[in-house]
Amino acid sequence: MDRRDLINKIFEEGRKAGLEDMEVYIQGSNNFNLRVFKGEIDNYSISKEEGLSFRCLYNGKMGYSYTEKIDETSIDMLINEAIENAKVIDSEDIEEIFAGSNTYREVNSFNDKLENVSAKDEIEFIKLLEKEALKLDSRVVSVPHCIFGKQSLYTMLVNTKGLDLENKSNIAYAYVNVMVKENDDVKTSSKYVISNDFSEFDYKALAKQAVDEAISMLGAESIKSDAYPIILRNDVAANILEAFSPIFSAENVQKDLSLLKGKLNKKIANEIITIVDDPFMKGGIASCSFDSEGVATKYKKVIDKGVLTTYLHNTKTAKKDGVQSTGNGFKSSFKSPVSISPTNMYIEKGDKSLDELIKSIRKGILITNVEGLHSGLNTVSGDFSLASSGYEIVDGRINRPVNQITIAGNFYDLLNNVLEVGNDLKFALPMGNGFIGSPSLKIKELSVSGI
Amino acid sequence: MLSKSVIEDVLIEALSTGGDFAEIFVEDKFNNSLLMIGGKIEKAVSGRDFGIGIRIFNKTNSVYAYTNNSSRENLLKVAKEAALALDGAKGDITLNLMKSDIKNIHNIVLLPSTIEKSKKIELMKRAYFAAKNYDEVITQVTVRYLDEEQNVLIANTEGLYVEDKRVRTRTAIQTVASRNGEMQSGFYAPGAHMGFEFYEKINIEDYAKEAARIAKTMIYADYCPSGKMPVIIDNEFGGVIFHEACGHGLEATSVAKGTSIFAGKIGEKVASEIVTAIDDGTIPNAWGSQNIDDEGTPTQKNILIENGILKGYMVDKLNGRRMGVKSTGSGRRQSYKYAPTSRMTNTYIANGKSTKEEIIANTEYGLYAKYMGGGSVNTSTGDFNFAVMEGYLIRNGKIEKPVRGATLIGNGLEVLKKIDMVGNNLGFGQGMCGSVSGSIPANVGQPTIRVQSMTVGGRKGE
């Protein structure tokens, strides 16, 4: 059955069940994934997937249901489950099916050229990446992960209030993880590239970054426990910002789960910090013209020169706060209810290079990797304590590699203790909270635990 | 779920380009989730996951494809597309699928789909009020309720043709304590491979109060000192230390490629001789249990380390081919969207001889980690980390005071050798384990143990 016919049938059956405001959200994707190991294709995966999410207002409450079996046999389940789910909602927050924004800015995040890249070329690219990494240095003993992935995605949002939106996008990524060994010392490093322009996939550059960094970590040792000035390299700063991004969600603020409650228009960071959420950013993985509720997205500064200027809102939290939705009402998948998430969110870059930041430190640590972001930090308290590695800085120069340490502090303190912002903005691999970027950040000090 | 003739046609099509093994995995799963914040139901979602995964091997090359469309025509098309990734010629195929009935050792009494939502909400309210009323510093309580019924059909060209039903239920309670502009949280999330009768076997209020007690204790706690010290890790979810530090490194996923620190070490002493570690997917109704793994192999009890000696790995079919050994029933995947690989089920350190009281009394100075958060590991280097949710400083053999914000880091091979006391109070905790084949339910467990020396990441020197 055609998608449109199915949607009409669902609405028709919903009306018979007494429903008025209903919405169908369909998300489909074509995925391709390749892994190579020792020159052979270790995994080759292709898939087409599609999911349909239904929601409706029943006695003023929003009920949700979804299915991956997209045919008529699912209609009864969708309607019955959504009604049953709406019945149990006892939150007083008002939710609605949205009739649409006045205008939508066009966002082009689908690159036709990417679809035309052949599997043969992609296989060749990923094999060359592994080969290059293995030949760059005799100490490279293995490439445990060497992956290429490509996805094209389409979404369709149709509701009974007349909203009818469609969007499509595509993206590709390559990820390499190398293992180097000298005597009994084993080190690894991972690098990635993510873009919908295949010409940006340079296997030589990617292999070199990963191998150079892994080799540079050989012989790493711990360091004396103390408080040290710290540089969080751009990718590390972006990972930490991503992990703490839920604190900007108005939903968490309203539910007493974010310490940003009551901080609107107040200074919460050093004035050199400006955080932007830009859904129109060129090349942004999260670029889009509308959110999962159909609200037009917009550019905004979340922190402007240290001052918190807005929370991220969907229509429900906006109504509660008496403001307009910021167009951040996203579902993490078609299976999920509408929640809140940033689009392309980043700390605006400053003017110092990473080298200049390093030069400005007499004794400190450059952090180039953190682990345990899903467990070693708490978005409610802002506390973090993360297994880390990087390099000791002595008299403005990299002195030696450091590992088996932790860095610990509080994210709210950290925002105030950023002394300088680098000019090297970089985006983290998306982990489900939008596409988040940061330049390298020089921090006054953090607690370091070692020996 | 699919007719035998369709399955046979799809498997034969999958081998049309020279593959030597093909498998089909059909999943039909009903999920139900409820979110309560501040005592009110905020979100309720239910839905049906449905899809089919087709996998083909040619020696150790593997191809995986999946689709949501179960029509014969589409499945044959998907199988053909997948087969085209291998460019060989068709061999002789004789397929003789024999439906086998599996032995069900996980009895389910009350299917969650037959329980009214109001009953589930009643349970959540009990948890909410028990936590909220625990103390006035508790300012927010979030309760998540989840249940799922997963029906799977697995068939392959070796003649396997089985079906299984997995039923799981879990309630996660998160508490927040606030004081002087600060917030701390507590968490407890009991779950089982069981129906709604699980909640007759446990008292949800006890778990809720415990989650509240953790947040309250931590809001009054000082920051943890940093540096190397002896660490006592309590039972139940404390087993996450073995899970991260060693468990992942014993999965064939990295062992077969030689990228694990434990590769090639069978028969060697890798741990203190008081350490015996086991992965057991057969524990009746345990969170990480299943009758069969996601490749259709019956799960089993696998001894990984016995008295300090490395005895075995956790192996799936594909990595078993690479290693020249049989599957240990460890092939698992989040859903039809993932090709299976070797994963843990219920992994634990076996009971030792000490009591918890003896372990604490024998420690002059150190950290007592009562509840752990999650963690992660780099299997190539063995470097791991995990978070302490509730910790205490120990001085002169006594618990001195609570400390917050600690993370434990170390190296798997080193930490196993430094375990110098093992308690006699084995218990299990429930978690979700993420890896290449997705996020899966896994139990971790251990008695209280002591590690002679570990790096504790805190925020204060002493």
Side-chain angles (χ1 to χ4, degrees):
Chain A
M1 192 178 214
D2 173 70
R3 296 283 165 266
R4 294 275 164 190
D5 293 341
L6 181 68
I7 292 170
N8 289 334
K9 188 91 200 274
I10 292 171
F11 289 161
E12 197 181 302
E13 292 299 315
R15 281 189 197 98
K16 283 185 201 160
L19 298 173
E20 264 180 52
D21 293 354
M22 292 171 273
E23 184 174 276
V24 168
Y25 176 95
I26 294 180
Q27 193 171 66
S29 63
N30 284 321
N31 310 291
F32 177 55
N33 195 282
L34 278 172
R35 290 176 74 99
V36 288
F37 188 71
K38 288 190 177 161
E40 300 237 333
I41 295 175
D42 173 34
N43 185 44
Y44 183 106
S45 157
I46 43 178
S47 64
K48 261 190 186 17
E49 56 182 295
E50 200 170 24
L52 183 153
S53 171
F54 176 72
R55 60 176 190 153
C56 63
L57 276 182
Y58 181 85
N59 286 339
K61 305 294 183 191
M62 193 73 80
Y64 282 87
S65 58
Y66 74 86
T67 184
E68 291 180 337
K69 196 158 176 58
I70 304 184
D71 57 27
E72 285 182 79
T73 63
S74 292
I75 297 178
D76 285 349
M77 184 280 286
L78 286 170
I79 292 170
N80 294 339
E81 285 296 324
I83 291 175
E84 288 306 308
N85 284 327
K87 280 183 189 167
V88 303
I89 301 289
D90 52 8
S91 164
E92 281 117 35
D93 296 346
I94 298 159
E95 282 194 84
E96 58 181 13
I97 300 283
F98 185 65
S101 299
N102 291 330
T103 53
Y104 294 91
R105 185 162 150 182
E106 201 175 312
V107 172
N108 185 8
S109 40
F110 189 87
N111 184 347
D112 289 318
K113 280 190 194 155
L114 183 64
E115 298 305 304
N116 297 329
V117 179
S118 69
K120 193 168 153 269
D121 287 347
E122 289 158 343
I123 291 169
E124 190 187 323
F125 166 83
I126 203 70
K127 284 187 170 174
L128 284 171
L129 176 60
E130 189 197 33
K131 209 168 156 187
E132 179 76 11
L134 285 167
K135 80 169 192 203
L136 275 174
D137 193 296
S138 60
R139 291 167 288 182
V140 178
V141 290
S142 179
V143 181
H145 303 281
C146 192
I147 306 166
F148 175 84
K150 186 163 89 172
Q151 180 180 60
S152 69
L153 194 70
Y154 77 87
T155 49
M156 224 174 131
L157 185 63
V158 182
N159 70 31
T160 52
K161 284 188 153 180
L163 191 70
D164 190 338
L165 297 167
E166 283 188 53
N167 184 51
K168 62 174 186 171
S169 63
N170 60 3
I171 198 70
Y173 67 92
Y175 173 91
V176 65
N177 168 264
V178 302
M179 180 172 162
V180 301
K181 192 171 177 186
E182 191 167 56
N183 304 320
D184 274 343
D185 189 16
V186 176
K187 292 289 179 288
T188 62
S189 172
S190 306
K191 296 289 169 186
Y192 58 89
V193 54
I194 173 162
S195 170
N196 65 9
D197 180 355
F198 194 64
S199 70
E200 286 181 20
F201 284 61
D202 178 346
Y203 71 87
K204 282 191 173 170
L206 196 60
K208 186 163 172 19
Q209 284 171 29
V211 171
D212 283 355
E213 189 155 312
I215 295 284
S216 76
M217 291 307 294
L218 284 168
E221 283 180 0
S222 192
I223 199 167
K224 194 171 158 282
S225 301
D226 204 347
Y228 292 90
I230 298 282
I231 296 171
L232 299 175
R233 193 172 66 185
N234 53 10
D235 49 347
V236 171
N239 281 322
I240 293 177
L241 177 63
E242 195 209 4
F244 279 110
S245 66
I247 67 172
F248 298 108
S249 150
E251 191 162 34
N252 285 333
V253 173
Q254 291 173 359
K255 303 294 179 204
D256 285 321
L257 295 168
S258 165
L259 282 167
L260 290 181
K261 185 169 195 166
K263 295 282 170 66
L264 211 52
N265 302 316
K266 291 193 175 141
K267 190 169 169 296
I268 61 159
N270 188 329
E271 61 197 18
I272 58 174
I273 296 282
T274 291
I275 297 182
V276 170
D277 184 57
D278 180 5
F280 312 120
M281 190 177 89
K282 199 168 175 294
I285 308 308
S287 292
C288 54
S289 59
F290 59 91
D291 69 10
S292 308
E293 293 185 292
V295 176
T297 52
K298 66 173 193 178
Y299 174 97
K300 68 247 165 216
K301 288 179 174 174
V302 180
I303 295 179
D304 191 2
K305 297 192 173 82
V307 176
L308 180 70
T309 48
T310 184
Y311 302 122
L312 300 179
H313 283 284
N314 59 26
T315 56
K316 179 173 92 170
T317 61
K319 185 161 255 176
K320 197 166 183 179
D321 277 6
V323 297
Q324 294 285 312
S325 168
T326 57
N328 290 93
F330 290 99
K331 300 179 186 208
S332 53
S333 103
F334 63 86
K335 295 182 187 180
S336 315
V338 171
S339 185
I340 291 174
S341 154
T343 61
N344 307 299
M345 187 169 91
Y346 58 90
I347 297 178
E348 272 191 353
K349 63 184 181 187
D351 52 13
K352 291 251 170 69
S353 68
L354 178 58
D355 274 347
E356 287 173 297
L357 294 183
I358 293 168
K359 277 199 182 95
S360 71
I361 289 182
R362 200 183 62 78
K363 188 163 171 55
I365 304 171
L366 166 64
I367 301 292
T368 56
N369 189 44
V370 287
E371 299 285 343
L373 281 159
H374 66 297
S375 57
L377 59 75
N378 186 327
T379 56
V380 173
S381 65
D383 287 340
F384 62 86
S385 175
L386 302 166
S388 309
S389 57
Y391 310 93
E392 181 188 36
I393 302 169
V394 176
D395 295 330
R397 282 182 192 195
I398 299 237
N399 186 47
R400 66 174 178 102
V402 174
N403 75 340
Q404 287 289 323
I405 60 168
T406 65
I407 53 168
N410 182 282
F411 187 67
Y412 296 97
D413 295 339
L414 186 141
L415 287 175
N416 281 301
N417 289 331
V418 177
L419 299 180
E420 290 191 84
V421 178
N423 63 3
D424 54 349
L425 175 61
K426 185 174 164 94
F427 283 79
L429 268 180
M431 302 297 280
N433 291 327
F435 190 47
I436 313 287
S438 175
S440 296
L441 303 175
K442 179 177 155 186
I443 316 294
K444 196 173 151 198
E445 63 174 38
L446 287 174
S447 293
V448 172
S449 179
I451 41 172
Chain B
M1 296 171 81
L2 270 188
S3 78
K4 193 173 161 188
S5 73
V6 170
I7 294 169
E8 284 173 344
D9 291 351
V10 169
L11 290 175
I12 288 168
E13 184 69 43
L15 294 190
S16 61
T17 57
D20 59 29
F21 172 86
E23 169 199 79
I24 185 164
F25 178 84
V26 188
E27 178 179 12
D28 192 358
K29 184 175 169 194
F30 195 75
N31 293 297
N32 187 27
S33 79
L34 297 161
L35 171 67
M36 174 181 281
I37 307 179
K40 295 194 185 297
I41 297 287
E42 287 280 334
K43 288 171 185 172
V45 188
S46 33
R48 186 178 180 190
D49 296 354
F50 178 84
I52 297 106
I54 297 167
R55 189 162 62 142
I56 313 169
F57 294 165
N58 184 10
K59 298 188 184 75
T60 58
N61 285 329
S62 100
V63 180
Y64 193 69
Y66 65 86
T67 177
N68 302 119
N69 181 341
S70 62
S71 71
R72 182 178 186 277
E73 183 194 6
N74 180 63
L75 290 175
L76 287 173
K77 186 168 147 265
V78 172
K80 184 167 198 153
E81 273 175 26
L84 286 175
L86 302 168
D87 51 358
K90 192 172 182 170
D92 283 337
I93 307 163
T94 43
L95 198 54
N96 186 17
L97 290 184
M98 292 283 287
K99 177 103 186 233
S100 52
D101 284 327
I102 54 170
K103 194 176 159 212
N104 181 18
I105 52 174
H106 309 292
N107 190 33
I108 307 295
V109 184
L110 300 168
L111 277 181
S113 56
T114 65
I115 306 294
E116 282 178 33
K117 283 187 205 291
S118 59
K119 286 239 163 140
K120 298 171 185 175
I121 291 165
E122 196 184 302
L123 175 88
M124 295 168 79
K125 292 218 157 142
R126 278 170 53 203
Y128 172 79
F129 285 110
K132 187 73 179 63
N133 296 335
Y134 179 78
D135 192 284
E136 57 191 22
V137 297
I138 303 297
T139 50
Q140 187 57 286
V141 178
T142 302
V143 183
R144 277 170 217 276
Y145 170 90
L146 304 161
D147 60 45
E148 57 183 45
E149 294 177 27
Q150 183 200 37
N151 298 294
V152 298
L153 181 160
I154 307 163
N156 68 31
T157 48
E158 289 167 353
L160 177 91
Y161 179 24
V162 285
E163 289 188 60
D164 193 18
K165 184 181 196 75
R166 292 86 175 257
V167 177
R168 287 193 175 88
T169 176
R170 193 178 192 201
T171 300
I173 305 146
Q174 191 203 22
T175 57
V176 177
S178 306
R179 186 174 162 257
N180 300 338
E182 280 190 334
M183 286 185 190
Q184 287 291 319
S185 56
F187 183 76
Y188 217 123
H193 187 293
M194 212 183 263
F196 202 70
E197 71 277 11
F198 177 52
Y199 299 103
E200 291 166 9
K201 305 224 178 332
I202 65 162
N203 183 358
I204 197 72
E205 274 105 344
D206 293 345
Y207 291 91
K209 284 180 200 162
E210 193 63 354
R213 191 194 56 71
I214 296 167
K216 183 189 170 185
T217 307
M218 288 299 101
I219 198 82
Y220 289 108
D222 224 344
Y223 282 106
C224 181
S226 42
K228 282 204 166 182
M229 61 186 85
V231 177
I232 296 170
I233 301 162
D234 216 344
N235 64 350
E236 296 184 9
F237 200 72
V240 72
I241 186 176
F242 183 79
H243 178 99
E244 297 299 353
C246 316
H248 280 295
L250 295 172
E251 291 166 345
T253 315
S254 56
V255 173
K257 292 182 176 177
T259 59
S260 163
I261 47 161
F262 292 101
K265 289 206 161 73
I266 293 279
E268 286 183 30
K269 186 164 186 293
V270 294
S272 154
E273 60 203 23
I274 53 174
V275 173
T276 290
I278 293 156
D279 183 78
D280 185 356
T282 69
I283 302 172
N285 299 103
W287 178 241
S289 292
Q290 280 168 191
N291 289 308
I292 50 171
D293 72 1
D294 294 319
E295 297 177 325
T297 309
T299 54
Q300 56 189 59
K301 180 174 179 173
N302 295 308
I303 311 271
L304 305 172
I305 294 171
E306 193 168 26
N307 302 324
I309 309 292
L310 185 62
K311 290 285 179 180
Y313 302 116
M314 290 164 277
V315 186
D316 61 295
K317 277 182 184 282
L318 179 62
N319 287 301
R321 283 185 168 207
R322 292 193 171 109
M323 295 162 70
V325 298
K326 273 188 160 176
S327 162
T328 58
S330 306
R332 300 187 69 191
R333 52 179 132 195
Q334 178 179 328
S335 71
Y336 67 89
K337 293 183 186 180
Y338 296 83
T341 191
S342 56
R343 303 289 296 270
M344 288 175 260
T345 60
N346 309 297
T347 315
Y348 62 95
I349 295 179
N351 264 330
K353 293 190 176 114
S354 310
T355 65
K356 178 171 158 180
E357 293 70 29
E358 278 165 13
I359 297 174
I360 292 173
N362 272 297
T363 307
E364 201 169 319
Y365 174 76
L367 180 75
Y368 164 48
K370 181 164 171 59
Y371 282 116
M372 308 302 303
S376 63
V377 67
N378 177 335
T379 49
S380 301
T381 62
D383 291 344
F384 66 82
N385 68 87
F386 50 102
V388 180
M389 189 162 67
E390 181 185 355
Y392 296 85
L393 264 196
I394 291 185
R395 218 182 275 278
N396 302 322
K398 290 201 174 76
I399 292 173
E400 188 185 58
K401 61 173 183 184
V403 286
R404 67 161 81 153
T407 289
L408 302 179
I409 62 167
N411 186 276
L413 274 176
E414 283 174 26
V415 80
L416 276 180
K417 288 178 181 149
K418 287 184 181 164
I419 295 175
D420 64 352
M421 291 185 93
V422 177
N424 59 4
N425 56 345
L426 173 63
F428 288 92
Q430 291 76 52
M432 294 302 293
C433 167
S435 184
V436 280
S437 64
S439 177
I440 56 171
N443 244 359
V444 296
Q446 67 173 36
T448 306
I449 62 163
R450 185 173 77 177
V451 183
Q452 263 171 352
S453 167
M454 269 180 106
T455 300
V456 177
R459 286 174 64 180
K460 228 175 55 172
E462 271 225 7

